[in-house]
Amino acid sequence: MTYQADPGRYERQPYNRSGRSGLKLPAVSLGLWHNFGDDRPIATSRAILRRAFDLGVTHFDLANNYGVPYGSAERNFGRILREDFAPYRDELVISTKAGYDMWPGPYGEWGSRKYVLASLDQSLRRMGLEYVDVFYSHRPDPETPLEETMGALDHAVRSGKALYAGVSNYSPEQTAQAARIMRELGTPLLIHQPSYSMVNRWIEGGLLDVLEEAGMGCIVFSPLAQGLLTDRYLNGVPADSRAATSRFLSAEQVNVELARDLDEVARGRGQTLAQMALSWAMRDPRVTSVLIGASSVRQLEDNVACVDGPVFTEDELEAIDKITSRVAPAS
C-alpha cells in the first residue's frame, strides 16, 4: 500500500530552533545507529520510520558506519526513502557523519579531507540523495589539523552536498576552536551531537556554555544510556537485552537499584522511566533535540510520548540528582 503521511503529524510535538540558525528540529529525533541494518527485517524498519514521521519526527540521523554491515543503515534508509518518503523529502532533515572506521587502510577513518569528502560521496550514493541536510565530523582527529577537517565540512556545504555542518564527540575546547574556524570560513557550525543522560552529564561542564556562545544547537545521543534508563533492567539483565548481547553495553554497567529508584520518581510523574529520562535530557533550553533509537513501533510511540510529560518540580530534580549521584558516570 502506498504510504500517505498523517495530515496531523505537525501537531504531535514541538520544534526547536537549532542555536541561532534558521533550522528547527523536532524535540525527539530518530537515530538509526541500531535496528536498521541488514540484520533486521526491512519491513520492521519501514514501519518504524513511517510511524515516526506520522508522529512529527522529521529528523532521521545516520552515519556512514551505522548498521550491520557498515553502510547498511544508509542503504536501507535510502530504499525506504525512495519507496515511501520521496514526496516528503523537503519536510525531512537527514543527517550523516564521517569519522569512525569505515573501510581498510589509512584513508578509511578519522578526519582527513580525503576521508571526510569520500565518505560523504559514498553516503549520498547509498541513500540515493543529492545532498544531506546536516553533515558531521563524527569525532575529532588527534593527528589531522582541525583546520583541514573543518575545511572539508566547509567544502561539503559550499559544494551543495550538505546544507549544514556539525560536529560530534568534540570537547568544549575543540568545539570552540572548530566554531571559530568555521566562522572564519563563512560556514558557521549548526550543531553539536554529544552523549548526555541523567548518568552522563559531561556536557554540563562547559560544552553547553560554548554552544550557547557560538550560537550552535545541541542534539544529544544515548539519553537513555543505551537502555539503562528504561524498565528493561528493573529486574536484572534479560538474556536477549543489549547488555547481554551487545559490545556497546555490558551487564556490569546495569544498576538495578538505580533503575528502580528512578522508576519510582517517574511513576510519580505519570511517566515511564524512559519517558522521564528523555524529558529530563530536554529540560535545558539549550538542548535542541534528543535522539532515540527504536526496535519496534510500540517502543517508538512510548518514547515519543515524553513530549507530553509535566514540567519537572524542584523536588523531582533534587530526587533525581540524589539517586544518580550514587553511581559513576555512564556513557
Side-chain angles (χ1 to χ4, degrees):
M1 176 181 288
T2 302
Y3 169 65
Q4 297 279 335
D6 189 325
R9 59 191 176 277
Y10 292 113
E11 302 169 7
R12 306 296 176 78
Q13 64 172 306
Y15 296 84
N16 303 318
R17 191 173 301 279
S18 182
R20 291 195 291 269
S21 77
L23 186 69
K24 290 185 176 182
L25 295 178
V28 178
S29 300
L30 181 63
L32 279 68
W33 181 17
H34 301 291
N35 304 315
F36 292 87
D38 290 348
D39 57 334
R40 300 299 173 98
I42 190 74
T44 302
S45 300
R46 186 189 306 275
I48 293 170
L49 288 166
R50 285 182 172 187
R51 186 58 178 147
F53 190 51
D54 285 344
L55 291 172
V57 178
T58 55
H59 179 211
F60 299 132
D61 179 79
L62 299 104
N64 55 358
N65 64 347
Y66 284 1
V68 179
Y70 286 173
S72 58
E74 288 184 329
R75 186 177 64 253
N76 291 334
F77 175 76
R79 173 183 167 182
I80 296 169
L81 177 68
R82 183 174 63 254
E83 296 175 356
D84 289 357
F85 295 105
Y88 307 102
R89 172 62 184 98
D90 291 335
E91 298 183 41
L92 301 177
V93 175
I94 301 170
S95 60
T96 195
K97 315 176 194 72
Y100 285 94
D101 63 299
M102 184 60 192
W103 61 84
Y107 318 121
E109 63 177 326
W110 293 109
S112 71
R113 183 182 181 90
K114 179 172 178 60
Y115 164 68
V116 169
L117 295 179
S119 178
L120 175 57
D121 285 341
Q122 291 182 21
S123 291
L124 292 175
R125 286 195 295 270
R126 280 190 291 269
M127 290 187 283
L129 292 172
E130 295 181 357
Y131 70 94
V132 290
D133 296 274
V134 187
F135 182 50
Y136 289 88
S137 168
H138 206 166
R139 61 173 172 172
D141 184 339
E143 297 184 352
T144 297
L146 193 55
E147 288 80 2
E148 179 175 341
T149 304
M150 294 303 104
L153 293 184
D154 174 69
H155 177 82
V157 173
R158 292 182 184 278
S159 67
K161 295 179 180 180
L163 300 186
Y164 300 93
V167 295
S168 181
N169 297 304
Y170 278 54
S171 70
E173 296 75 20
Q174 291 165 330
T175 301
Q177 184 181 0
R180 176 186 58 77
I181 294 169
M182 291 295 280
R183 279 197 305 271
E184 293 173 352
L185 291 171
T187 304
L189 284 174
L190 171 80
I191 199 164
H192 188 297
Q193 186 176 133
S195 61
Y196 183 53
S197 73
M198 289 190 287
V199 292
N200 174 25
R201 305 189 182 191
W202 74 275
I203 68 172
E204 297 173 3
L207 180 61
L208 285 172
D209 293 335
V210 168
L211 298 181
E212 185 174 24
E213 174 67 24
M216 294 171 61
C218 179
I219 179 169
V220 301
F221 71 89
S222 291
L224 302 180
Q226 297 199 55
L228 296 178
L229 298 175
T230 72
D231 60 9
R232 190 77 165 116
Y233 301 103
L234 293 179
N235 297 301
V237 182
D240 61 345
S241 67
R242 183 177 297 180
T245 61
S246 172
R247 65 186 177 91
F248 296 104
L249 187 67
S250 68
E252 289 72 26
Q253 293 174 271
V254 174
N255 187 318
V256 173
E257 181 182 1
L258 171 79
R260 288 177 176 174
D261 289 347
L262 289 173
D263 183 64
E264 183 175 347
V265 178
R267 284 188 282 109
R269 289 171 46 82
Q271 291 184 301
T272 66
L273 174 52
Q275 288 167 349
M276 184 181 76
L278 294 170
S279 295
W280 183 93
M282 65 175 69
R283 79 199 186 286
D284 191 311
R286 293 172 293 183
V287 174
T288 311
S289 183
V290 294
L291 270 171
I292 63 169
S295 58
S296 68
V297 169
R298 180 178 178 180
Q299 183 185 58
L300 171 80
E301 292 172 338
D302 288 345
N303 288 345
V304 172
C306 70
V307 299
D308 298 321
V311 174
F312 284 95
T313 67
E314 287 300 321
D315 287 344
E316 289 169 342
L317 291 174
E318 289 178 6
I320 291 169
D321 289 346
K322 184 177 180 179
I323 295 167
T324 57
S325 68
R326 304 198 306 258
V327 299
S331 59

